[in-house]
PDB file of all heavy atoms in Angstrom:
ATOM      1  N   GLU A1275     -14.328 -77.473  19.663  1.00 70.00           N
ATOM      2  CA  GLU A1275     -15.286 -78.548  19.436  1.00 70.00           C
ATOM      3  C   GLU A1275     -14.855 -79.842  20.121  1.00 70.00           C
ATOM      4  O   GLU A1275     -15.661 -80.743  20.312  1.00 70.00           O
ATOM      5  CB  GLU A1275     -15.447 -78.789  17.936  1.00 70.00           C
ATOM      6  CG  GLU A1275     -16.058 -77.607  17.192  1.00 70.00           C
ATOM      7  CD  GLU A1275     -16.221 -77.885  15.716  1.00 70.00           C
ATOM      8  OE1 GLU A1275     -15.972 -79.044  15.306  1.00 70.00           O
ATOM      9  OE2 GLU A1275     -16.601 -76.966  14.969  1.00 70.00           O
ATOM     10  N   SER A1276     -13.579 -79.952  20.450  1.00 70.00           N
ATOM     11  CA  SER A1276     -13.051 -81.138  21.138  1.00 70.00           C
ATOM     12  C   SER A1276     -12.437 -80.702  22.453  1.00 70.00           C
ATOM     13  O   SER A1276     -11.406 -80.019  22.475  1.00 70.00           O
ATOM     14  CB  SER A1276     -12.007 -81.849  20.270  1.00 70.00           C
ATOM     15  OG  SER A1276     -11.332 -82.843  21.010  1.00 70.00           O
ATOM     16  N   ALA A1277     -13.078 -81.078  23.570  1.00 76.00           N
ATOM     17  CA  ALA A1277     -12.612 -80.625  24.881  1.00 76.00           C
ATOM     18  C   ALA A1277     -11.176 -81.066  25.153  1.00 76.00           C
ATOM     19  O   ALA A1277     -10.371 -80.299  25.687  1.00 76.00           O
ATOM     20  CB  ALA A1277     -13.536 -81.163  25.970  1.00 76.00           C
ATOM     21  N   GLY A1278     -10.840 -82.306  24.778  1.00 73.00           N
ATOM     22  CA  GLY A1278      -9.496 -82.809  25.039  1.00 73.00           C
ATOM     23  C   GLY A1278      -8.438 -81.980  24.347  1.00 73.00           C
ATOM     24  O   GLY A1278      -7.406 -81.625  24.942  1.00 73.00           O
ATOM     25  N   VAL A1279      -8.671 -81.639  23.088  1.00 74.00           N
ATOM     26  CA  VAL A1279      -7.708 -80.840  22.332  1.00 74.00           C
ATOM     27  C   VAL A1279      -7.623 -79.436  22.908  1.00 74.00           C
ATOM     28  O   VAL A1279      -6.532 -78.882  23.091  1.00 74.00           O
ATOM     29  CB  VAL A1279      -8.105 -80.787  20.844  1.00 74.00           C
ATOM     30  CG1 VAL A1279      -7.129 -79.937  20.056  1.00 74.00           C
ATOM     31  CG2 VAL A1279      -8.153 -82.189  20.258  1.00 74.00           C
ATOM     32  N   ALA A1280      -8.762 -78.835  23.197  1.00 82.00           N
ATOM     33  CA  ALA A1280      -8.782 -77.465  23.716  1.00 82.00           C
ATOM     34  C   ALA A1280      -8.063 -77.368  25.056  1.00 82.00           C
ATOM     35  O   ALA A1280      -7.352 -76.385  25.327  1.00 82.00           O
ATOM     36  CB  ALA A1280     -10.225 -76.982  23.856  1.00 82.00           C
ATOM     37  N   LEU A1281      -8.214 -78.370  25.911  1.00 84.00           N
ATOM     38  CA  LEU A1281      -7.535 -78.350  27.215  1.00 84.00           C
ATOM     39  C   LEU A1281      -6.028 -78.474  27.047  1.00 84.00           C
ATOM     40  O   LEU A1281      -5.264 -77.864  27.811  1.00 84.00           O
ATOM     41  CB  LEU A1281      -8.075 -79.470  28.099  1.00 84.00           C
ATOM     42  CG  LEU A1281      -9.515 -79.275  28.594  1.00 84.00           C
ATOM     43  CD1 LEU A1281     -10.010 -80.508  29.321  1.00 84.00           C
ATOM     44  CD2 LEU A1281      -9.619 -78.051  29.507  1.00 84.00           C
ATOM     45  N   VAL A1282      -5.583 -79.257  26.068  1.00 81.00           N
ATOM     46  CA  VAL A1282      -4.144 -79.319  25.775  1.00 81.00           C
ATOM     47  C   VAL A1282      -3.652 -77.955  25.303  1.00 81.00           C
ATOM     48  O   VAL A1282      -2.576 -77.490  25.702  1.00 81.00           O
ATOM     49  CB  VAL A1282      -3.843 -80.406  24.722  1.00 81.00           C
ATOM     50  CG1 VAL A1282      -2.401 -80.313  24.246  1.00 81.00           C
ATOM     51  CG2 VAL A1282      -4.103 -81.789  25.302  1.00 81.00           C
ATOM     52  N   ASN A1283      -4.436 -77.283  24.464  1.00 84.00           N
ATOM     53  CA  ASN A1283      -4.065 -75.946  24.004  1.00 84.00           C
ATOM     54  C   ASN A1283      -3.923 -74.981  25.179  1.00 84.00           C
ATOM     55  O   ASN A1283      -2.958 -74.215  25.259  1.00 84.00           O
ATOM     56  CB  ASN A1283      -5.127 -75.414  23.040  1.00 84.00           C
ATOM     57  CG  ASN A1283      -5.177 -76.186  21.740  1.00 84.00           C
ATOM     58  OD1 ASN A1283      -4.305 -76.996  21.461  1.00 84.00           O
ATOM     59  ND2 ASN A1283      -6.200 -75.935  20.946  1.00 84.00           N
ATOM     60  N   ALA A1284      -4.910 -75.004  26.078  1.00 89.00           N
ATOM     61  CA  ALA A1284      -4.863 -74.111  27.243  1.00 89.00           C
ATOM     62  C   ALA A1284      -3.683 -74.448  28.146  1.00 89.00           C
ATOM     63  O   ALA A1284      -3.050 -73.547  28.726  1.00 89.00           O
ATOM     64  CB  ALA A1284      -6.179 -74.210  28.019  1.00 89.00           C
ATOM     65  N   THR A1285      -3.367 -75.735  28.264  1.00 89.00           N
ATOM     66  CA  THR A1285      -2.210 -76.141  29.077  1.00 89.00           C
ATOM     67  C   THR A1285      -0.918 -75.599  28.481  1.00 89.00           C
ATOM     68  O   THR A1285      -0.044 -75.097  29.201  1.00 89.00           O
ATOM     69  CB  THR A1285      -2.146 -77.679  29.169  1.00 89.00           C
ATOM     70  OG1 THR A1285      -3.327 -78.163  29.789  1.00 89.00           O
ATOM     71  CG2 THR A1285      -0.934 -78.121  29.971  1.00 89.00           C
ATOM     72  N   ARG A1286      -0.772 -75.716  27.159  1.00 86.00           N
ATOM     73  CA  ARG A1286       0.423 -75.203  26.492  1.00 86.00           C
ATOM     74  C   ARG A1286       0.563 -73.694  26.701  1.00 86.00           C
ATOM     75  O   ARG A1286       1.664 -73.192  26.968  1.00 86.00           O
ATOM     76  CB  ARG A1286       0.337 -75.509  24.998  1.00 86.00           C
ATOM     77  CG  ARG A1286       0.414 -76.985  24.656  1.00 86.00           C
ATOM     78  CD  ARG A1286       1.821 -77.461  24.484  1.00 86.00           C
ATOM     79  NE  ARG A1286       2.439 -76.828  23.326  1.00 86.00           N
ATOM     80  CZ  ARG A1286       3.723 -76.952  23.013  1.00 86.00           C
ATOM     81  NH1 ARG A1286       4.499 -77.666  23.771  1.00 86.00           N
ATOM     82  NH2 ARG A1286       4.225 -76.361  21.955  1.00 86.00           N
ATOM     83  N   GLU A1287      -0.545 -72.975  26.600  1.00 90.00           N
ATOM     84  CA  GLU A1287      -0.479 -71.521  26.789  1.00 90.00           C
ATOM     85  C   GLU A1287      -0.162 -71.187  28.239  1.00 90.00           C
ATOM     86  O   GLU A1287       0.561 -70.221  28.517  1.00 90.00           O
ATOM     87  CB  GLU A1287      -1.806 -70.902  26.371  1.00 90.00           C
ATOM     88  CG  GLU A1287      -1.717 -69.456  25.944  1.00 90.00           C
ATOM     89  CD  GLU A1287      -0.928 -69.281  24.659  1.00 90.00           C
ATOM     90  OE1 GLU A1287      -1.353 -69.790  23.610  1.00 90.00           O
ATOM     91  OE2 GLU A1287       0.134 -68.615  24.719  1.00 90.00           O
ATOM     92  N   SER A1288      -0.690 -71.974  29.169  1.00 93.00           N
ATOM     93  CA  SER A1288      -0.397 -71.758  30.590  1.00 93.00           C
ATOM     94  C   SER A1288       1.084 -71.978  30.881  1.00 93.00           C
ATOM     95  O   SER A1288       1.685 -71.281  31.711  1.00 93.00           O
ATOM     96  CB  SER A1288      -1.247 -72.696  31.448  1.00 93.00           C
ATOM     97  OG  SER A1288      -2.618 -72.503  31.226  1.00 93.00           O
ATOM     98  N   MET A1289       1.683 -72.958  30.197  1.00 91.00           N
ATOM     99  CA  MET A1289       3.111 -73.199  30.387  1.00 91.00           C
ATOM    100  C   MET A1289       3.944 -72.029  29.848  1.00 91.00           C
ATOM    101  O   MET A1289       5.034 -71.753  30.351  1.00 91.00           O
ATOM    102  CB  MET A1289       3.520 -74.499  29.696  1.00 91.00           C
ATOM    103  CG  MET A1289       3.098 -75.742  30.443  1.00 91.00           C
ATOM    104  SD  MET A1289       3.689 -75.738  32.162  1.00 91.00           S
ATOM    105  CE  MET A1289       5.455 -75.603  31.924  1.00 91.00           C
ATOM    106  N   ARG A1290       3.442 -71.331  28.830  1.00 90.00           N
ATOM    107  CA  ARG A1290       4.124 -70.111  28.387  1.00 90.00           C
ATOM    108  C   ARG A1290       4.165 -69.093  29.525  1.00 90.00           C
ATOM    109  O   ARG A1290       5.185 -68.416  29.746  1.00 90.00           O
ATOM    110  CB  ARG A1290       3.398 -69.496  27.193  1.00 90.00           C
ATOM    111  CG  ARG A1290       3.692 -70.141  25.851  1.00 90.00           C
ATOM    112  CD  ARG A1290       3.108 -69.293  24.729  1.00 90.00           C
ATOM    113  NE  ARG A1290       3.765 -68.018  24.630  1.00 90.00           N
ATOM    114  CZ  ARG A1290       3.194 -66.892  24.200  1.00 90.00           C
ATOM    115  NH1 ARG A1290       1.917 -66.884  23.873  1.00 90.00           N
ATOM    116  NH2 ARG A1290       3.880 -65.776  24.122  1.00 90.00           N
ATOM    117  N   MET A1291       3.047 -68.975  30.253  1.00 93.00           N
ATOM    118  CA  MET A1291       3.020 -68.056  31.387  1.00 93.00           C
ATOM    119  C   MET A1291       4.019 -68.484  32.451  1.00 93.00           C
ATOM    120  O   MET A1291       4.735 -67.648  33.021  1.00 93.00           O
ATOM    121  CB  MET A1291       1.611 -67.998  31.977  1.00 93.00           C
ATOM    122  CG  MET A1291       0.563 -67.385  31.072  1.00 93.00           C
ATOM    123  SD  MET A1291      -1.065 -67.265  31.886  1.00 93.00           S
ATOM    124  CE  MET A1291      -0.717 -66.086  33.195  1.00 93.00           C
ATOM    125  N   ALA A1292       4.081 -69.796  32.716  1.00 93.00           N
ATOM    126  CA  ALA A1292       5.027 -70.291  33.725  1.00 93.00           C
ATOM    127  C   ALA A1292       6.462 -70.014  33.300  1.00 93.00           C
ATOM    128  O   ALA A1292       7.313 -69.644  34.129  1.00 93.00           O
ATOM    129  CB  ALA A1292       4.811 -71.787  33.942  1.00 93.00           C
ATOM    130  N   ASP A1293       6.750 -70.187  32.009  1.00 92.00           N
ATOM    131  CA  ASP A1293       8.108 -69.900  31.519  1.00 92.00           C
ATOM    132  C   ASP A1293       8.446 -68.419  31.686  1.00 92.00           C
ATOM    133  O   ASP A1293       9.581 -68.062  32.030  1.00 92.00           O
ATOM    134  CB  ASP A1293       8.233 -70.299  30.046  1.00 92.00           C
ATOM    135  CG  ASP A1293       8.191 -71.803  29.839  1.00 92.00           C
ATOM    136  OD1 ASP A1293       8.424 -72.539  30.816  1.00 92.00           O
ATOM    137  OD2 ASP A1293       7.905 -72.245  28.709  1.00 92.00           O
ATOM    138  N   MET A1294       7.455 -67.557  31.426  1.00 92.00           N
ATOM    139  CA  MET A1294       7.687 -66.117  31.588  1.00 92.00           C
ATOM    140  C   MET A1294       7.965 -65.758  33.043  1.00 92.00           C
ATOM    141  O   MET A1294       8.863 -64.962  33.346  1.00 92.00           O
ATOM    142  CB  MET A1294       6.489 -65.343  31.050  1.00 92.00           C
ATOM    143  CG  MET A1294       6.343 -65.433  29.532  1.00 92.00           C
ATOM    144  SD  MET A1294       4.736 -64.824  28.920  1.00 92.00           S
ATOM    145  CE  MET A1294       4.873 -63.082  29.299  1.00 92.00           C
ATOM    146  N   VAL A1295       7.198 -66.361  33.949  1.00 92.00           N
ATOM    147  CA  VAL A1295       7.407 -66.093  35.377  1.00 92.00           C
ATOM    148  C   VAL A1295       8.757 -66.616  35.831  1.00 92.00           C
ATOM    149  O   VAL A1295       9.468 -65.962  36.610  1.00 92.00           O
ATOM    150  CB  VAL A1295       6.257 -66.718  36.194  1.00 92.00           C
ATOM    151  CG1 VAL A1295       6.669 -66.881  37.651  1.00 92.00           C
ATOM    152  CG2 VAL A1295       5.012 -65.858  36.104  1.00 92.00           C
ATOM    153  N   GLU A1296       9.134 -67.802  35.328  1.00 92.00           N
ATOM    154  CA  GLU A1296      10.453 -68.337  35.681  1.00 92.00           C
ATOM    155  C   GLU A1296      11.560 -67.389  35.214  1.00 92.00           C
ATOM    156  O   GLU A1296      12.536 -67.158  35.936  1.00 92.00           O
ATOM    157  CB  GLU A1296      10.639 -69.714  35.050  1.00 92.00           C
ATOM    158  CG  GLU A1296      11.935 -70.396  35.474  1.00 92.00           C
ATOM    159  CD  GLU A1296      12.059 -71.796  34.908  1.00 92.00           C
ATOM    160  OE1 GLU A1296      11.281 -72.153  34.006  1.00 92.00           O
ATOM    161  OE2 GLU A1296      12.954 -72.539  35.364  1.00 92.00           O
ATOM    162  N   GLY A1297      11.411 -66.827  34.014  1.00 90.00           N
ATOM    163  CA  GLY A1297      12.393 -65.856  33.532  1.00 90.00           C
ATOM    164  C   GLY A1297      12.426 -64.595  34.377  1.00 90.00           C
ATOM    165  O   GLY A1297      13.491 -63.997  34.566  1.00 90.00           O
ATOM    166  N   MET A1298      11.263 -64.171  34.882  1.00 90.00           N
ATOM    167  CA  MET A1298      11.208 -62.986  35.739  1.00 90.00           C
ATOM    168  C   MET A1298      11.907 -63.232  37.077  1.00 90.00           C
ATOM    169  O   MET A1298      12.559 -62.335  37.624  1.00 90.00           O
ATOM    170  CB  MET A1298       9.754 -62.585  35.978  1.00 90.00           C
ATOM    171  CG  MET A1298       9.033 -62.093  34.728  1.00 90.00           C
ATOM    172  SD  MET A1298       7.228 -61.937  34.953  1.00 90.00           S
ATOM    173  CE  MET A1298       7.133 -60.549  36.073  1.00 90.00           C
TER     174      MET A1298
END
């Protein structure tokens, strides 16, 4: 319902992917 909050959520999840790739 709040674009700003949702985009922060998606950014945090995207950083999880980046951390996984860095570990790989």
Side-chain angles (χ1 to χ4, degrees):
E1275 295 181 7
S1276 170
V1279 179
L1281 290 173
V1282 170
N1283 293 350
T1285 299
R1286 293 272 294 173
E1287 205 67 63
S1288 301
M1289 284 306 302
R1290 280 190 66 210
M1291 294 183 65
D1293 291 341
M1294 291 168 67
V1295 161
E1296 185 176 13
M1298 293 169 69

